[in-house]
Amino acid sequence: VDASLKDLKTCSRRLQTVSAIVGDELKILERLYYKGKNQHRSALFWKRVVEIRRYGRRLSEASLWETLELFRCSFFGANSFQKFMKGSWNHYPNLPYV
């Protein structure tokens, strides 16, 4: 479990970075959509822009990084937020939670 939690921590950090980058890209896409929706509404490529915008919103609403951090914290006790999850894990999360 310790090795898996270490790998999960690495993945969590990478996911946080990727999520920040995707958030910036979505802001740019939102601005492009706002500026071009009247002009390009009938264009074929605009349907793909709308589709990517919708997928981006779903991805940001899913909040994968927060979910992963909550899952990682579930392996540590109630005081895990104060100690920043340093040390060994001391708690098994409930099976329905996992």
Side-chain angles (χ1 to χ4, degrees):
V1 174
D2 286 331
S4 297
L5 285 176
K6 285 182 183 181
D7 291 340
L8 192 63
K9 182 178 181 180
T10 304
C11 290
S12 174
R13 287 183 180 168
R14 288 180 184 164
L15 187 62
Q16 182 182 16
T17 304
V18 168
S19 133
I21 292 170
V22 168
D24 292 341
E25 295 290 329
L26 286 176
K27 287 178 185 177
I28 293 170
L29 182 64
E30 283 293 325
R31 187 67 179 160
L32 287 172
Y33 178 81
Y34 173 76
K35 288 291 194 177
K37 66 182 174 185
N38 291 329
Q39 180 181 4
H40 301 294
R41 186 175 299 166
S42 61
L44 293 176
F45 75 90
W46 197 252
K47 290 181 183 179
R48 298 293 182 225
V49 171
V50 172
E51 185 179 5
I52 292 297
R53 181 176 174 243
R54 185 174 55 238
Y55 290 148
R57 281 186 176 177
R58 287 182 186 172
L59 186 63
S60 65
E61 288 173 1
S63 63
L64 296 175
W65 181 73
E66 288 87 4
T67 305
L68 189 61
E69 279 297 307
L70 186 62
F71 177 69
R72 239 186 63 187
C73 289
S74 68
F75 281 91
F76 297 89
N79 299 328
S80 64
F81 293 108
Q82 296 170 354
K83 296 180 182 180
F84 300 107
M85 295 179 286
K86 291 184 179 177
S88 61
W89 59 278
N90 55 7
H91 179 63
Y92 280 110
N94 295 336
L95 187 60
Y97 180 76
V98 175

